[in-house]
Amino acid sequence: MGTLMVFNDPDTASIIEELQEKTHPLDAKKRIIERALAKQQEISLKLIQERDKEHLNATHTVRRFEALKSSSHLLKHDHEALLHRDHDCMAIKGG
């Protein structure tokens, strides 16, 4: 009951009104900042997703490169073995 009497007091009501007038701009600023923060978080999430996608692509490319490099070494080895075999065959035929 004491609280209701406080609000009926003109001085108290004036102070409350003044405080409310001061809080409205602050509330508006807070909403603007919250929207800006939400937008920044959305942009950050998109950038993180792009980074992760590119990282996966790079990892896949490196693995493909390593596999191709390995295949190239095997083919080179097979080619040298075939050349050596051909040389051996010619030596046998010539002899």
Side-chain angles (χ1 to χ4, degrees), residues 68-83:
L68 289 172
K69 194 164 99 174
S70 178
S71 293
S72 172
H73 288 307
L74 288 173
L75 288 172
K76 194 175 201 178
H77 181 274
D78 289 349
H79 179 257
E80 288 174 6
L82 288 172
L83 285 177

